[in-house]
Every structure is written in C-alpha cells, then in structure tokens.
Amino acid sequence: MATVAAATMEITTPSKVEGTSGSADAQQLSILVEFTGGLEMLFSDQRRHALQIPAMDKNDSPATIAYLIDYLCENTMRDSRKELFVLDRHLRPGILVLINDADWELEGEEAYEIQNGDNILFVSTLHGG
C-alpha cells in the first residue's frame, strides 16, 4: 500500500506545479551558460554560469538567444570590453554558439527561444598572435 500511495503522490505533485501560473519559477528559466576559447575572461574568469533568466523579454515575448546576449552583457559580464563579445548588439563574428550541443545555425541562431534547462556554450575562435 505504501508503494501505491507514493506512486500516486508522484503523479499528483508535478501536475500541481505545472498548473501554477503565478509562481516565480514559471517566470524564470534555469539555464547553464558556458564560455571557452578565452571568452571566460570577460565573465569573471568563470567558465560555467548557472543562471536564472526571465522567461519573457521586455516586449513580453519569449526569451531568445538575442535576449540572452543582451542579458549577459548587462548582468553577467564584469569586463568593460563588451566589444569582444558583441558588435552592433549582435554576437561578434568568430564566436561559435552551441545550444544543447547543436550548432545554433540549426536552431535558428538569435531567434531560438530558450527553454528551461538549456545548455548554451559560447566558443571564441578569435586568438591573438
């Protein structure tokens, strides 16, 4: 009987959470953002950032990679050299992006709508010499 009750509890609990529309979790996305190839120096020399970002942008549209890039510049980047990451409010050429291990070109690039649990990797191919 204890097993049946536990199984019922597992089924009931997630549906209650999903049905909660006004919770803070419903308004936030938990994502992992990683930087390599030297980009980590722009982000406090930290390669991995577990972030909670708003699920909607300022226009009440779903958060996209374009929104994430702005968000990172405004909230996560501590280095003043933003031009090493963005150029004219777009990701600088020479930076590869992987969304859940897939090239962002296959996912819609800056228009990709971020999902809860996404892993987004930025890799710089630009090197000094």
Side-chain angles (χ1 to χ4, degrees), residues 24-77:
D25 291 339
Q27 298 171 7
Q28 297 284 313
L29 297 172
S30 295
I31 61 172
L32 180 65
V33 179
E34 298 182 76
F35 302 97
T36 63
L39 286 175
E40 59 274 15
M41 72 179 195
L42 300 174
F43 296 89
S44 305
D45 287 317
Q46 186 177 343
R47 181 176 180 214
R48 302 177 73 150
H49 296 260
L51 301 176
Q52 295 277 331
I53 66 167
M56 305 300 265
D57 67 14
K58 295 173 186 169
N59 299 321
D60 221 18
S61 297
T64 62
I65 295 292
Y67 170 78
L68 176 64
I69 292 167
D70 285 341
Y71 181 91
L72 291 170
C73 288
E74 295 299 319
N75 300 289
T76 309
M77 185 183 291

Side-chain angles (χ1 to χ4, degrees), residues 2-119:
T3 305
V4 173
T8 304
M9 197 105 154
E10 289 176 19
I11 293 169
T12 305
T13 304
S15 64
K16 286 182 181 177
V17 172
E18 290 170 11
T20 306
S21 60
S23 73
D25 291 339
Q27 298 171 7
Q28 297 284 313
L29 297 172
S30 295
I31 61 172
L32 180 65
V33 179
E34 298 182 76
F35 302 97
T36 63
L39 286 175
E40 59 274 15
M41 72 179 195
L42 300 174
F43 296 89
S44 305
D45 287 317
Q46 186 177 343
R47 181 176 180 214
R48 302 177 73 150
H49 296 260
L51 301 176
Q52 295 277 331
I53 66 167
M56 305 300 265
D57 67 14
K58 295 173 186 169
N59 299 321
D60 221 18
S61 297
T64 62
I65 295 292
Y67 170 78
L68 176 64
I69 292 167
D70 285 341
Y71 181 91
L72 291 170
C73 288
E74 295 299 319
N75 300 289
T76 309
M77 185 183 291
R78 299 294 175 238
D79 197 292
S80 62
R81 300 171 293 170
K82 295 189 186 331
E83 69 277 1
L84 296 176
F85 188 62
V86 293
L87 184 64
D88 297 326
R89 298 198 60 176
H90 294 282
L91 194 63
R92 186 173 189 80
I95 297 176
L96 304 175
V97 182
L98 297 177
I99 301 169
N100 301 321
D101 296 324
D103 190 324
W104 77 327
E105 291 178 359
L106 301 173
E107 302 291 345
E109 297 182 351
E110 290 184 349
Y112 172 80
E113 292 181 6
I114 298 172
Q115 305 298 310
N116 198 44
D118 277 351
N119 182 344

